[in-house]
Amino acid sequence: MRVTALAVAVVLGTTAGRAETAALPVTEIASGIFVHNGVHEEASAANEDAIANIGFIIGDEAVAVIDPGGSFAEGSGLRAAIRARTDQPIRYVILTHVHPDHIFGAAAFRDDRPDFVGHAKLPGALAQRGDYYVRRLRSTLGDEANGTEIVVPTMLVSDKLDLDLGSRRLTLRAHGPAHTDNDLTVFDQKTRTFWLADLLFVDRLPVIDGSLVGWLEQLDQLTATPADRAVPGHGPVTVPWPAAAEPERRYLAAVARDTREAIKTGIGIANAYQHVANSERGNWLLFDEYHPRNVTASYKELEWE
Ligand SMILES: [Zn+2]
């Protein structure tokens, strides 16, 4: 009898535990647009890799997730935040680019059977790096990484794609190499909100993992797009547009200018970062963690000009 009671208690405990997945805190930055603010840290077990700005948009008939987060745990929390606000189907999970902190929560939405939407080059990037990213996340997060796995996109964007959420149209654009070679942006026509993901870093140092020259070119196009507000991949949950892109443009331009100069004067790739964009050090969080590798990547790109 006692054994049975215990077994029931365990089952109830498990069910209750699942039902009580804590909703991720989110801010409604415009009507029906909710964003969770990532912390300015490296991924760790304590933060569950919840370091990027992620969120969702609610239309009259459906919900779109824009980046499911950095782990299964964070994705589950985001899903709970959606379910606390609407019963509408989660029809799209948009994966803005290959980086784990943005898309590793995707498996938490599998049972909703959404379309997972990504850049046409995202499948290739996942094939190349996915396994390594999962291993790295497991070693960093330990048990907090449980449930995290690669989800491949089921709907690809090679140029432009409109998604209809019911009286609410989202325009997705696939960009050329910039932050990565598979960056997507989302424009909500209803509120003129421009979700730039990691094409826009605010406060936290931009990471160059696609093309420095390409990113500067994309910024020219992006900043020419009028919008009432923007959502950066890292930084505040909403920022003025295009003014908020200025520090990023200044940093990237300084890296381009000084790296070209370092190459010209014969400074080697290993030490180049010490001579590049030093004026920017005080302007960014995590500068010393990411600046040297940004310069190394830029050096490799620019030395063939
Ligand atoms: Zn990124």
Side-chain angles (χ1 to χ4, degrees):
M1 208 49 215
R2 276 186 64 188
V3 172
T4 310
L6 187 65
V8 169
V10 168
V11 170
L12 284 175
T14 308
T15 310
R18 205 177 277 163
E20 283 168 16
T21 297
L24 213 58
V26 290
T27 305
E28 187 168 13
I29 60 148
S31 177
I33 305 185
F34 297 83
V35 185
H36 171 72
N37 194 203
V39 292
H40 285 312
E41 297 170 5
E42 303 258 38
S44 71
N47 62 36
E48 295 179 346
D49 201 18
I51 61 174
N53 290 337
I54 63 169
F56 53 92
I57 300 181
I58 303 175
D60 283 351
E61 290 159 19
V63 181
V65 170
I66 305 180
D67 282 344
S71 62
F72 182 82
E74 192 189 15
S76 303
L78 184 66
R79 193 179 179 284
I82 295 171
R83 282 296 164 251
R85 287 166 180 82
T86 177
D87 290 329
Q88 283 171 22
I90 299 167
R91 201 168 286 161
Y92 304 103
V93 174
I94 298 166
L95 311 170
T96 61
H97 64 292
V98 71
H99 287 154
D101 54 328
H102 289 259
I103 65 171
F104 267 21
F109 295 91
R110 260 203 178 120
D111 291 347
D112 297 298
R113 301 187 165 277
D115 268 311
F116 291 95
V117 188
H119 191 292
K121 289 192 173 161
L122 179 59
L126 281 170
Q128 220 171 34
R129 296 180 175 187
D131 289 343
Y132 161 71
Y133 281 158
V134 170
R135 278 201 308 277
R136 197 182 60 178
L137 193 79
R138 287 196 183 126
S139 83
T140 310
L141 265 61
D143 286 350
E144 297 299 327
N146 286 352
T148 303
E149 52 187 279
I150 301 289
V151 174
V152 294
T154 55
M155 184 183 272
L156 296 179
V157 189
S158 49
D159 178 28
K160 181 173 169 267
L161 175 74
D162 277 359
L163 300 178
D164 185 6
L165 302 182
S167 307
R168 182 158 218 161
R169 195 158 47 90
L170 306 183
T171 301
L172 281 59
R173 276 190 190 280
H175 296 273
H179 169 62
T180 66
D181 74 354
N182 51 89
D183 301 313
L184 276 188
T185 57
V186 181
F187 191 92
D188 174 51
Q189 305 287 352
K190 187 171 178 176
T191 61
R192 292 164 48 87
T193 300
F194 203 5
W195 199 305
L196 286 122
D198 279 4
L199 284 174
L200 178 61
F201 279 68
V202 177
D203 301 335
R204 178 184 172 129
L205 192 77
V207 173
I208 304 166
D209 191 23
S211 164
L212 171 64
V213 174
W215 201 342
L216 283 162
E217 286 170 7
Q218 291 297 326
L219 273 178
D220 286 341
Q221 293 178 28
L222 292 165
T223 52
T225 303
D228 288 356
R229 65 190 67 73
V231 180
H234 299 272
V237 288
T238 179
V239 291
W241 185 253
E246 212 35 55
E248 175 177 277
R249 188 207 297 271
R250 194 191 56 225
Y251 170 73
L252 295 176
V255 170
R257 180 196 64 218
D258 294 353
T259 304
R260 285 186 175 116
E261 184 65 23
I263 292 166
K264 210 167 88 186
T265 54
I267 295 167
I269 190 168
N271 299 320
Y273 74 93
Q274 294 167 347
H275 304 268
V276 171
N278 278 317
S279 56
E280 291 287 325
R281 171 168 273 106
N283 298 333
W284 299 97
L285 299 166
L286 300 177
F287 186 89
D288 292 324
E289 284 81 350
Y290 290 96
H291 180 64
R293 70 182 89 164
N294 279 343
V295 175
T296 301
S298 302
Y299 195 107
K300 287 180 188 164
E301 180 182 341
L302 296 173
E303 70 181 326
W304 301 105
E305 282 184 328

